[in-house]
Amino acid sequence: MLFTALIIDDEQNNIDNLKLLLNQYCPNISIIDHAKNAFEAEKIINLKKPEIIFLDIQMPEKNGFQLLQSLPNHNFEIIFVTAFDQYGIKAIKFSAIDYLLKPIDIEELKAAVQKATLRIQEKKQNQHLDNLIQILQNKQEKEHHRIGLSTAKETRFVKTGEIIRCEASNNYTTFYLEEGEKIITSKPISEYEGLLNSYGFIRCHQTHLLNKKFIKSISKQDGGYLILFDNSIIPISRTKKELVKNAMTNS
């Protein structure tokens, strides 16, 4: 089964390189066109309606995020192909959208294409991209922003304000939600620390990341620990005591 694709990048050598890789390693992808800027891309998207878009973020005049925000519909899968951009990568990870860093790794390309084509076949609404647009446009209060949590069976989108805490177990992270639900993901807690630190979360221990709005009190006994509103007791590392104190003082 063939899937139609559009490549958007302002540099011709990047376009040619990605075409070559797709032709060689992803034979189920049919490249119907390419665009070198957002204005060309918008016309092609509306006219040809590609199923997958490979999109560079950093382009002159109008970047990839601005292009997405200008489109009325997002009836396609997106794979970002970009050099490192701290804010951009954080937003993309937050919505569990695939991205490829330049120079492109072949195995990562194949994996991203496989996931995109599976989503098309399942005919699911692209919640990943919808969530990214909401974050970029700041349409919601931050506690209503939803983070994409990839489990073995699905990607769950959870409001940050509903997450009580995260607990690490080797390379897995368990999310404890306000309504009592638990979600286990196959990513390390360090990955989520970087995504959630601007949402009021603090890393109080090697294995614990907390939403500080759920902290009820700080106990000074037994070296110090936190008591949450659900009566969970969470240890505080010696090296994190000052961080926790400052975070609570500035709440």
Side-chain angles (χ1 to χ4, degrees):
M1 184 175 180
L2 285 177
F3 299 89
T4 58
L6 169 67
I7 298 173
I8 306 170
D9 196 303
D10 61 319
E11 295 186 22
Q12 186 63 47
N13 63 317
N14 289 334
I15 294 171
D16 293 339
N17 181 57
L18 182 52
K19 281 183 178 180
L20 184 66
L21 293 177
L22 288 169
N23 288 332
Q24 187 170 356
Y25 297 103
C26 304
N28 58 338
I29 299 301
S30 173
I31 304 163
I32 56 173
D33 212 334
H34 68 268
K36 289 188 175 181
N37 59 62
F39 304 103
E40 287 180 11
E42 190 168 355
K43 293 177 183 177
I44 296 170
I45 291 167
N46 291 330
L47 180 65
K48 298 188 177 181
K49 296 179 171 42
E51 293 174 292
I52 302 173
I53 293 177
F54 294 88
L55 177 61
D56 184 22
I57 297 175
Q58 296 170 327
M59 296 185 293
E61 296 185 58
K62 192 174 184 179
N63 67 34
F65 288 150
Q66 291 169 327
L67 166 63
L68 291 175
Q69 291 176 72
S70 69
L71 296 172
N73 298 300
H74 304 102
N75 303 319
F76 48 80
E77 292 295 324
I78 193 88
I79 299 173
F80 289 99
V81 185
T82 183
F84 184 73
D85 177 280
Q86 188 170 8
Y87 170 75
I89 295 299
K90 184 171 180 177
I92 292 166
K93 284 184 177 181
F94 207 89
S95 297
I97 290 180
D98 283 306
Y99 68 95
L100 303 170
L101 290 177
K102 300 173 183 176
I104 297 170
D105 179 273
I106 293 168
E107 293 305 316
E108 290 179 1
L109 172 63
K110 288 161 66 176
V113 166
Q114 182 181 32
K115 283 192 277 185
T117 55
L118 282 174
R119 284 197 290 263
I120 294 169
Q121 287 175 306
E122 291 169 358
K123 300 184 186 301
K124 289 185 176 179
Q125 181 184 1
N126 195 341
Q127 294 185 60
H128 302 255
L129 185 52
D130 290 343
N131 195 59
L132 174 62
I133 298 301
Q134 291 286 334
I135 293 170
L136 292 173
Q137 293 180 340
N138 291 316
K139 284 188 173 180
Q140 302 167 321
E141 295 295 327
K142 289 193 77 170
E143 68 173 11
H144 295 300
H145 283 181
R146 298 186 302 159
I147 183 171
L149 304 179
S150 298
T151 71
K153 295 182 178 179
E154 61 181 350
T155 298
R156 284 282 305 278
F157 288 89
V158 176
K159 291 180 181 178
T160 59
E162 296 176 353
I163 301 169
I164 297 174
R165 63 189 180 94
C166 312
E167 185 172 351
S169 176
N170 297 321
N171 285 326
Y172 292 86
T173 303
T174 300
F175 282 75
Y176 293 82
L177 306 186
E178 195 170 4
E179 297 299 320
E181 186 181 3
K182 293 192 293 186
I183 299 174
I184 300 174
T185 72
S186 57
K187 290 184 179 180
I189 200 168
S190 57
E191 179 89 5
Y192 297 109
E193 180 183 9
L195 297 178
L196 292 170
N197 57 12
S198 61
Y199 288 82
F201 284 73
I202 53 175
R203 184 84 174 268
C204 66
H205 188 272
Q206 183 178 358
T207 57
H208 293 281
L209 179 65
L210 305 179
N211 187 337
K212 65 182 183 181
K213 80 172 189 176
F214 290 104
I215 297 174
K216 181 166 64 175
S217 63
I218 302 176
S219 174
K220 297 179 181 178
Q221 297 179 348
D222 300 325
Y225 55 85
L226 297 168
I227 303 172
L228 308 187
F229 284 107
D230 66 354
N231 293 319
S232 297
I233 295 176
I234 308 299
I236 305 173
S237 299
R238 282 190 302 171
T239 57
K240 298 289 187 179
K241 286 183 178 179
E242 195 64 29
L243 172 70
V244 172
K245 182 181 176 181
N246 291 338
M248 296 309 296
T249 302
N250 297 325
S251 294

